[in-house]
Amino acid sequence: VSERILKFQTLPRKAFQRRLEGDVRLQVSIDRSGYLTAVQVSEESRHSMFNEQALTAVDKASPFPPIPEGISDEEYSFSVPLNYRLPY
């Protein structure tokens, strides 16, 4: 699921122009079918553009694959770190 979110992670143009980097950690919850039920920033970047982009990435990545049969919970929650680094 984390890999799916990372596919939609992009470095905001403003960050590239201003040479900014940051880290964000999200708490994501999905239902048995893989649909997003909740997402929140659990560790914010000091640059709000990274927080906003991380939330957008999760939204674009949804829906996710269904929860495997081996997990009995009706909802699955997990933490996702997103690191925003400039290409050097």
Side-chain angles (χ1 to χ4, degrees):
V1 175
S2 295
E3 288 179 19
R4 185 174 176 88
I5 294 170
L6 294 177
K7 288 181 182 179
F8 293 95
Q9 178 185 8
T10 60
L11 185 66
R13 174 177 273 169
K14 196 185 291 186
F16 186 77
Q17 292 169 338
R18 295 180 182 174
R19 310 296 293 164
L20 300 175
E21 296 182 329
D23 300 311
V24 179
R25 182 172 292 274
L26 301 176
Q27 187 67 31
V28 179
S29 298
I30 60 173
D31 66 15
R32 287 214 63 80
S33 299
Y35 288 92
L36 189 64
T37 59
V39 62
Q40 65 182 22
V41 177
S42 57
E43 294 178 24
E44 293 185 347
S45 169
R46 62 184 186 171
H47 305 291
S48 63
M49 72 181 87
F50 298 129
N51 302 326
E52 293 168 14
Q53 200 292 315
L55 293 169
T56 298
V58 170
D59 189 51
K60 288 182 177 182
S62 180
F64 299 95
I67 296 175
E69 293 299 320
I71 298 175
S72 61
D73 297 334
E74 289 302 310
E75 187 172 273
Y76 182 67
S77 296
F78 52 94
S79 179
V80 180
L82 290 105
N83 305 304
Y84 294 89
R85 299 287 176 261
L86 295 167
Y88 290 101

